[in-house]
Amino acid sequence: MAGLRSEGARDELPRDEGSRRLAGAPSRARGASPIDTEKVREDFPVLSRELPGGRPLVYLDSGNSSQKPFQVIDTMREHLARHYGNVGRAMHVLGSESTEAYEAARDKVAAFIGAPSRDEVIFTKNASEALNLVAYSFGNPAADDPRFRLGPGDEIVISEMEHHSNIVPWQMLVQRTGATLKWFGVTDEGRLDLADGVITERTKIVSIAHQSNVLGTVNPVAEVVALARRAGALVMLDASQSVPHHPVNVAELGADFIAFTGHKMVGPSGIGVLWGRRELLEAMPPFLGGGEMIEAVWMDHSTYAPVPHKFEAGTPPIVEAIGLGAAVDYLNGVGMEAVEAHERALTAYALEALKEVPSLRIIGPQSPEGRGATLSFTLEGIHPHDVGQILDDRFGIAVRVGHHCARPLHLRFGIPATTRASLYLYNTTGEIDALVRGLHHVQKVFA
Amino acid sequence: MITDSMYQELILEHYKHPQGKGLREPYDAEVHHVNPTCGDEITLRVKVGEGGKVEDVSYEGQGCSISQAAASVLHELATGSTVEETLAVVEEFTRLMQGRGQVQPNEDVLGDAVAFAGVAKFPARVKCALLSWMAYKDAVVRSVGA
């Protein structure tokens, strides 16, 4: 890839002339990362672009959406340019090439998450759709399986640290059915508070984040599953923030459903995944009706295709699914253990580094154990929108500011918003240093 | 850098030392406006006296420097003027904010509010600057109507 610059460009970041160099920075422990970040960064064309004014890009917003390697970009371009046809129905060369690539992507995703069967991988347009699909399976008169019957007196359990996409579909479900929504609280340290009495024998499903998109907290899935099993409830995990960053094996997790999305795992947007245990997926009613989800149609009724196609009505996001397959190949090439270890080292480094910023308060676990590389914080007296604006505009540092689609969690901590840096396999300790320098400058502006 | 033109000294001063902040009695109308995308909010009260003169604009709220400073500047500009005069300022301020940085502001009308001209180049932040001004417009219509 000619014209790409290495991460060394970071050293040329504009420094605020007036701010002191951080005395501790050069000697800060760098931890052991198994990833050759310089090499990885060469795969992501956008990381070497310059922003207006000659600023290099410091991309710390992967929890929002990740950047894409050329392997994904080229796979999608190649498919569009040379193979594209509709899947599952076209009887010509292009159609069969597209179908083959689309279904191969399903195989890759299934292997990536350790799914016992490829048919348990449903392509959706994003994680939200996957969560809604499961929510709409409950209390639906078209389903006769007692596990999906839901009405007044039945309960659904979520948590206070959920993304809106794992709150709102369940609120809508209880509005439709008269069931009750309950939730686990969050401790001051940002851990799930697994209080007694939240899950009861009336609980039909427990749906929680595997890893919080704000706190970074990795939740104790085994404990939650054990509590749910005792009550006879199903378990769903919003794995949007875990599958991209850790080795995830659904058989070992023990949950019944997981949802995640392509764009947070170096793949394209417009493609998400629902994994579910086959026997449950077969018991569930279809979600959307339409082309290719049927077996046979009469004017007054239809029969449905077997899973996974029962849940994939209409022409799916074909090239996006193929792009997700390429993303899985890419992550496998680096190795998910390596990605996880790299992020653990970066998180330890970042937690230390951020301590140097006066009045900075981390919202979430303060130590790298049991958490991922998502760091949300507040600066006393400075609104996150001002923090984000100055970081971006002056230093090219992209963070997310606001409530990150987790407003109840922010209410829990009594704050309207946070600034969030979320790291990935291509981030470096140098970029964390840049963030710390940027935050010192922000404080100077508002001093 | 662009933000240097957005975070004018005057804006930072108003943010650090907000003028007229706090809810006061008496008042004719109280409104509560929120910006759902970023969570900024303001509660604003208006008292209109004899001859359509704005006697007080009091407010309480939370948000970024732009939204808080805009409320402070609004308080200074509106208090003591007539309703008619203040609505002309609101109109000019709105025109400036929605002008995508292409509008030449009328300084005679805007006074200190001209410092927000740089904000107009940031579509995401225009709502912050307008929050209190829209709340004021809403409140003043209600007080005059009352």
Side-chain angles (χ1 to χ4, degrees):
Chain A
M1 295 292 285
L4 288 179
R5 292 184 325 168
S6 79
E7 60 168 344
R10 278 187 344 268
D11 297 335
E12 294 147 29
L13 274 180
R15 284 210 183 88
D16 176 46
E17 310 73 36
S19 76
R20 68 194 168 88
R21 282 296 301 273
L22 295 167
S27 61
R28 207 178 283 135
R30 275 179 156 71
S33 166
I35 287 187
D36 181 350
T37 329
E38 204 161 319
K39 195 156 160 292
V40 164
R41 290 177 71 88
E42 286 173 7
D43 292 333
F44 291 79
V46 79
L47 297 180
S48 60
R49 77 159 275 194
E50 262 187 14
L51 301 177
R55 291 160 295 159
L57 171 68
V58 178
Y59 191 76
L60 306 180
D61 198 21
S62 296
N64 196 353
S65 201
S66 68
Q67 294 300 340
K68 324 301 173 197
F70 70 81
Q71 288 88 339
V72 168
I73 299 166
D74 290 355
T75 298
M76 294 175 73
R77 188 192 289 123
E78 166 78 7
H79 194 85
L80 279 168
R82 297 191 51 82
H83 305 286
Y84 182 81
N86 210 335
V87 294
R89 57 204 95 184
M91 291 299 142
H92 42 64
V93 171
L94 298 186
S96 68
E97 285 178 358
S98 262
T99 303
E100 201 174 311
Y102 178 75
E103 293 301 333
R106 195 190 309 277
D107 290 328
K108 290 173 186 185
V109 171
F112 189 65
I113 58 170
S117 161
R118 68 181 307 278
D119 297 337
E120 297 178 339
V121 171
I122 316 286
F123 284 133
T124 60
K125 77 168 184 280
N126 48 37
S128 292
E129 187 187 323
L131 286 153
N132 276 277
L133 190 162
V134 174
Y136 271 97
S137 301
F138 286 87
N140 182 335
D144 50 12
D145 191 292
R147 289 170 296 184
F148 292 97
R149 269 184 221 141
L150 193 80
D154 293 324
E155 296 171 356
I156 294 154
V157 172
I158 58 174
S159 91
E160 214 174 4
M161 70 168 78
E162 300 309 316
H163 186 285
H164 295 163
S165 62
N166 199 23
I167 299 175
V168 182
W170 306 111
Q171 290 175 340
M172 291 162 63
L173 175 60
V174 301
Q175 278 173 349
R176 285 196 298 274
T177 59
T180 303
L181 185 63
K182 295 169 76 177
W183 52 88
F184 288 114
V186 173
T187 68
D188 290 343
E189 293 72 40
R191 300 283 180 192
L192 199 60
D193 183 2
L194 286 176
D196 289 340
V198 178
I199 296 178
T200 70
E201 74 286 350
R202 292 165 174 271
T203 307
K204 303 291 288 221
I205 185 163
V206 180
S207 187
I208 59 159
H210 190 188
Q211 175 175 319
S212 161
N213 73 313
V214 177
L215 306 164
T217 306
V218 175
N219 284 318
V221 173
E223 274 180 68
V224 175
V225 168
L227 289 170
R229 290 289 176 253
R230 226 169 291 153
L234 298 172
V235 177
M236 177 154 202
L237 297 178
D238 174 0
S240 305
Q241 299 287 343
S242 59
V243 165
H245 303 283
H246 309 277
V248 167
N249 182 299
V250 292
E252 287 169 16
L253 274 177
D256 299 298
F257 303 101
I258 75 167
F260 57 99
T261 191
H263 71 93
K264 293 188 200 294
M265 51 188 289
V266 311
S269 59
I271 183 77
V273 174
L274 168 68
W275 169 83
R277 288 200 288 120
R278 184 186 195 119
E279 152 304 288
L280 288 167
L281 293 173
E282 285 173 346
M284 286 155 63
F287 175 43
L288 301 173
E292 287 300 313
M293 54 75 75
I294 50 87
E295 184 182 60
V297 177
W298 292 265
M299 280 314 291
D300 61 347
H301 75 287
S302 301
T303 55
Y304 306 118
V307 292
H309 300 105
K310 178 171 93 174
F311 293 108
E312 294 180 3
T315 296
I318 299 166
V319 181
E320 288 76 7
I322 293 164
L324 175 58
V328 163
D329 286 342
Y330 183 82
L331 291 172
N332 281 332
V334 177
M336 287 311 292
E337 282 83 7
V339 171
E340 185 181 58
H342 174 73
E343 291 186 25
R344 196 184 306 123
L346 273 187
T347 304
Y349 184 87
L351 285 167
E352 273 307 305
L354 290 173
K355 278 183 194 160
E356 292 169 14
V357 181
S359 87
L360 183 145
R361 176 187 169 209
I362 299 259
I363 307 297
Q366 312 284 317
S367 68
E369 291 79 41
R371 62 136 48 240
T374 298
L375 301 125
S376 298
F377 55 85
T378 58
L379 289 180
E380 200 183 315
I382 309 176
H383 193 280
H385 281 145
D386 293 320
V387 177
Q389 184 94 58
I390 294 173
L391 288 179
D392 174 50
D393 208 46
R394 179 148 183 120
F395 301 100
I397 299 172
V399 293
R400 185 166 171 188
V401 294
H403 53 49
H404 321 303
C405 300
R407 188 163 181 271
L409 180 67
H410 284 76
L411 294 176
R412 151 70 181 83
F413 283 95
I415 46 179
T418 50
T419 302
R420 182 184 75 178
S422 52
L423 312 171
Y424 209 2
L425 75 166
Y426 37 64
N427 288 121
T428 67
T429 53
E431 289 178 309
I432 293 164
D433 293 340
L435 172 66
V436 170
R437 280 197 299 276
L439 293 173
H440 278 288
H441 177 81
V442 169
Q443 288 186 319
K444 222 182 65 160
V445 171
F446 285 93
Chain B
M1 291 293 161
I2 312 166
T3 36
D4 289 343
S5 63
M6 177 160 147
Y7 292 101
Q8 296 288 315
E9 203 51 48
L10 189 132
I11 292 178
L12 292 172
E13 270 311 305
H14 274 277
Y15 176 57
K16 291 170 197 167
H17 308 288
Q19 304 299 301
K21 192 169 180 170
L23 294 171
R24 288 178 294 276
E25 310 261 358
Y27 62 93
D28 306 314
E30 176 182 293
V31 296
H32 180 73
H33 280 212
V34 298
N35 181 346
T37 51
C38 63
D40 286 6
E41 53 185 287
I42 188 160
T43 304
L44 185 138
R45 291 176 177 176
V46 171
K47 172 65 190 161
V48 179
E50 292 297 310
K53 196 170 181 184
V54 179
E55 289 182 352
D56 194 18
V57 178
S58 67
Y59 62 95
E60 194 57 74
Q62 61 169 22
C64 66
S65 61
I66 302 301
S67 76
Q68 298 303 292
S72 175
V73 169
L74 167 75
H75 164 85
E76 281 200 340
L77 288 175
T79 310
S81 302
T82 65
V83 166
E84 206 178 324
E85 287 164 349
T86 62
L87 288 178
V89 184
V90 172
E91 196 182 321
E92 177 62 13
F93 189 68
T94 310
R95 190 180 74 91
L96 173 64
M97 284 301 106
Q98 293 173 344
R100 301 187 166 274
Q102 309 297 312
V103 166
Q104 203 55 43
N106 184 341
E107 287 196 53
D108 295 338
V109 176
L110 287 174
D112 277 0
V114 78
F116 290 84
V119 178
K121 286 177 240 158
F122 297 85
R125 303 303 295 278
V126 167
K127 288 172 297 184
C128 311
L130 284 176
L131 180 67
S132 56
W133 291 65
M134 291 301 106
Y136 172 74
K137 198 174 168 185
D138 184 9
V140 93
V141 165
R142 290 180 199 213
S143 4
V144 173

